[in-house]
């Protein structure tokens, strides 16, 4: 029999403070979504009306070959128009991707007390945090997601502190993915028509955050969201989806896939990785590239996992539009700031579309 939560506080304590998460709630035997998870009507995702668009994946093996220029154009065009694209032949073995999905399921299948050791106030490392939703204390309705987040500093720290079940597979995925990310950032900066030193490009992806997300099967998916509307704060995000799907992206200008304002689904492609532009790259490019507003629906049939790597500047890095781009454009649309300030603003608020970018916008832009 499911436990009875007499008020919102007892549910909040069970899910958030005690570390049971949404999975603990589902495992307790609930038959309907608690009120604290019911989203306002305008935030709910009607997947019947969503457009599923098979974005042709970009073949990265064609870079540095006879079709190099064409692939570069495809990458830049996707970053300018939608802010999302999928890549294949990316240098990460498909077997590794499958192993990563398996270890993610295994981690979240553990009893709550095994995962709760990584809760913020008790975690053995400040770089490893287990939690639920996004900003539970700030949200009008909680998100139907549990996660573990690991900030990468070096291999030794990861092997010492990341969860035993996943650390070796996760570390291999991160190290292989970063080579691809470095190449993509180099291409995108180059397409802006500017020259940037290698050390500066490295600085744009100087920190890496590795997450494993778990979306338990939900009794009322039409009332909830797995993740609310938001854009990522970093430079580029690499995302491994499982085969279930549920990732939606908002179209900001009319494209072949949909009209402005449409939400289109990014369906899983076996062996592919999803790449999306974050706020930092939008700011660096002075708005040329788009950080994509996206969200995730839940499902009643199966639990879903996703594994993103967020590449972000180091907290002490100064970020603003690249001066050469501003010179070309004739106006700066964003101000310069220390990235830690942006992080504080981003994590200090609930998800709310692309509102995080307001922190950097200039009033005159």
């Amino acid at each position: 029999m499911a436990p009875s939560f007499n008020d919102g506080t007892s549910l909040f304590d069970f899910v958030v403070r005690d570390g049971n998460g949404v999975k603990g709630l589902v495992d307790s035997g609930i038959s309907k979504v608690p009120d604290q998870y019911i989203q306002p009507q305008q935030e709910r995702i009607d997947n019947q009306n969503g457009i599923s668009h098979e974005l042709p994946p970009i073949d990265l093996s064609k870079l540095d070959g006879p079709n190099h220029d064409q692939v570069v154009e495809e990458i830049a065009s996707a970053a300018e128009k939608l802010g999302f694209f999928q890549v294949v032949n990316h240098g990460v073995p498909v077997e590794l991707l499958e192993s990563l999905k398996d270890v993610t399921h295994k981690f979240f299948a553990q009893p709550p007390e095994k995962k709760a050791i990584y809760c913020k106030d008790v975690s053995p490392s400040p770089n490893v945090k287990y939690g639920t939703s996004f900003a539970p204390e700030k949200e009008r309705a909680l998100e139907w997601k549990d996660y573990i987040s690991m900030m990468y500093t070096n291999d030794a720290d990861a092997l010492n502190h990341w969860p035993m079940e996943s650390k070796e597979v996760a570390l291999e995925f991160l190290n292989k993915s970063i080579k691809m990310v470095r190449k993509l950032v180099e291409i995108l900066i180059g397409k802006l028509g500017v020259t940037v030193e290698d050390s500066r490009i490295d600085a744009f992806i100087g920190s890496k955050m590795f997450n494993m997300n778990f979306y338990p099967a939900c009794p009322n998916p039409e009332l909830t969201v797995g993740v609310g509307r938001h854009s990522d704060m970093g430079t580029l995000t690499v995302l491994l989806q499982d085969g279930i799907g549920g990732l939606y992206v908002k179209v900001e200008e009319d494209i072949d896939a949909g009209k402005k304002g449409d939400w289109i689904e990014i369906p899983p492609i076996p062996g592919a990785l999803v790449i999306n532009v974050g706020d930092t790259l939008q700011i660096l490019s002075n708005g040329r590239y788009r950080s994509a507003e996206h969200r995730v629906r839940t499902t009643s049939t199966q639990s879903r996992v996703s594994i993103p790597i967020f590449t972000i500047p180091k907290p002490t890095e100064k970020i603003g539009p690249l001066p050469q781009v501003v010179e070309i454009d004739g106006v700066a649309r964003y101000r310069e700031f220390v990235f830690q300030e942006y992080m504080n603003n981003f994590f200090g608020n609930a998800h709310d579309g692309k509102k995080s970018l307001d922190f950097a916008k200039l009033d005159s832009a």
Side-chain angles (χ1 to χ4, degrees):
M1 186 174 178
S4 174
F5 298 107
N6 297 323
D7 55 46
T9 303
S10 59
L11 180 137
F12 191 90
D13 287 345
F14 177 83
V15 173
V16 179
R17 296 201 174 98
D18 300 339
N20 288 287
V22 188
K23 185 171 189 302
L25 199 59
V26 171
D27 289 347
S28 74
I30 61 165
S31 58
K32 64 177 185 176
V33 167
D35 290 348
Q36 292 86 343
Y37 286 91
I38 297 177
Q39 294 288 329
Q41 189 69 45
Q42 69 273 18
E43 299 298 337
R44 298 176 195 174
I45 302 172
D46 182 359
N47 65 317
Q48 302 303 316
N49 294 332
I51 302 164
S52 182
H53 181 68
E54 191 79 27
L55 289 167
I58 297 172
D59 187 347
L60 296 187
S61 69
K62 293 181 178 178
L63 287 170
D64 303 319
N67 296 315
H68 176 85
D69 290 347
Q70 178 189 336
V71 177
V72 167
E73 284 297 332
E74 289 174 2
I75 292 167
S77 176
E80 288 173 0
K81 292 177 180 176
L82 189 61
F84 257 79
F85 53 98
Q86 302 203 56
V87 295
V88 292
N89 295 322
H90 37 61
V92 185
V94 173
E95 301 78 23
L96 178 60
L97 302 182
E98 294 306 312
S99 295
L100 192 53
K101 287 183 271 190
D102 289 344
V103 298
T104 302
H105 275 288
K106 285 176 183 174
F107 175 81
F108 287 101
Q110 296 181 108
E113 60 271 17
K114 294 275 192 179
K115 295 173 284 189
I117 62 171
Y118 297 107
C119 284
K120 184 178 179 182
D121 295 330
V122 297
S123 177
S125 168
N127 295 322
V128 182
K129 178 193 170 189
Y130 168 73
T132 191
S133 199
F134 177 70
E137 292 83 1
K138 301 285 182 74
E139 292 163 344
R140 289 179 296 173
L142 297 170
E143 299 178 348
W144 196 264
K145 178 190 80 170
D146 297 333
Y147 68 90
I148 183 161
S149 178
M150 295 155 276
M151 182 64 79
Y152 175 82
T153 53
N154 56 63
D155 286 7
D157 176 74
L159 292 171
N160 279 332
H161 294 117
W162 290 12
M164 182 72 68
E165 304 77 16
S166 56
K167 60 186 179 183
E168 291 183 357
V169 176
L171 194 55
E172 187 180 356
F173 176 57
L174 185 142
N175 285 330
K176 288 186 181 299
S177 296
I178 291 306
K179 293 177 184 177
M180 169 190 61
V181 169
R182 177 66 170 72
K183 182 74 172 175
L184 291 173
V185 173
E186 193 177 291
I187 286 168
L188 289 167
I189 295 295
K191 281 296 289 180
L192 294 172
V194 304
T195 304
V196 175
E197 292 180 3
D198 284 352
S199 61
R200 191 82 173 107
I201 291 178
D202 289 335
F204 299 153
I205 56 171
S207 294
K208 294 95 183 169
M209 188 185 298
F210 178 93
N211 280 23
M212 298 192 302
N213 298 327
F214 186 76
Y215 306 90
C218 176
N220 308 102
E222 72 282 358
L223 301 179
T224 61
V225 297
V227 181
R229 299 176 299 107
H230 71 289
S231 55
D232 294 343
M233 68 174 175
T235 303
L236 283 182
T237 300
V238 180
L239 176 72
L240 171 61
Q241 294 197 84
D242 64 13
I244 296 170
L247 172 64
Y248 288 78
V249 182
K250 190 174 185 180
V251 179
E252 289 195 28
E253 68 170 53
D254 290 356
I255 56 174
D256 291 343
K259 296 178 180 177
K260 183 176 180 178
D262 284 347
W263 285 92
I264 62 171
E265 186 172 9
I266 307 296
I269 297 175
L273 291 169
V274 179
I275 308 294
N276 69 273
V277 173
D279 292 349
T280 298
L281 187 54
Q282 177 161 335
I283 292 164
L284 291 169
S285 69
N286 204 33
R288 205 87 64 86
Y289 299 130
R290 296 178 189 271
S291 65
E293 184 176 347
H294 53 290
R295 59 186 183 177
V296 175
R297 66 171 166 82
T298 59
T299 174
S300 61
T301 54
Q302 292 173 279
S303 296
R304 175 180 182 266
V305 297
S306 69
I307 300 99
I309 298 172
F310 304 100
T311 63
I312 61 178
K314 287 191 180 298
T316 54
E317 195 69 33
K318 281 190 174 180
I319 295 296
L322 295 169
Q324 292 166 282
V325 178
V326 173
E327 194 174 326
I328 294 167
D329 293 348
V331 62
R333 297 183 174 89
Y334 305 95
R335 64 183 180 86
E336 188 178 70
F337 53 88
V338 176
F339 193 67
Q340 181 68 63
E341 299 169 3
Y342 200 85
M343 290 176 68
N344 293 344
N345 177 70
F346 186 86
F347 287 116
N349 295 286
H351 284 148
D352 190 9
K354 291 184 68 169
K355 200 170 181 181
S356 52
L357 263 174
D358 291 348
F359 178 84
K361 279 182 181 171
L362 289 171
D363 292 339
S364 58

